[in-house]
Amino acid sequence: MLYNNLAMMYEEQGKYVISLDYYLKTYKFFVSKLGLGHLESRNIRKNMKLTYIRWDKESDFDQWLEEKMKE
């Protein structure tokens, strides 16, 4: 999916906020179509979490994701 590729590209450039935005769009799509337990959804979540930790080591990823999923 294009958004996932953009997320990886921005992550490599150190643009973590933009990367997280694209990972989130991808994650929402896959969760809505395939569910939380699907391998692709889990992989995207894992990559998003790693990016989040690079961006903000102090904050809680799960709390951040929960809030973003409500938007």
Side-chain angles (χ1 to χ4, degrees):
M1 175 169 220
L2 176 63
Y3 285 149
N4 195 41
N5 292 340
L6 289 170
M8 290 186 288
M9 180 189 74
Y10 281 114
E11 181 182 1
E12 288 175 8
Q13 296 175 2
K15 297 178 180 179
Y16 300 123
V17 174
I18 298 170
S19 176
L20 287 167
D21 184 50
Y22 283 113
Y23 273 129
L24 187 63
K25 288 176 184 181
T26 305
Y27 184 70
K28 285 181 175 181
F29 173 80
F30 278 100
V31 167
S32 71
K33 300 298 181 192
L34 303 173
L36 289 169
H38 192 275
L39 178 62
E40 198 63 38
S41 299
R42 292 192 325 252
N43 284 337
I44 293 165
R45 185 184 189 285
K46 179 186 76 171
N47 291 337
M48 184 169 36
K49 183 174 184 174
L50 292 171
T51 301
Y52 183 86
I53 290 169
R54 287 185 189 109
W55 172 61
D56 185 354
K57 292 179 171 115
E58 304 299 320
S59 297
D60 184 281
F61 170 75
D62 293 320
Q63 181 181 357
W64 175 85
L65 182 57
E66 183 178 324
E67 291 172 10
K68 291 294 185 178
M69 291 299 285
K70 294 176 184 175
E71 294 178 359

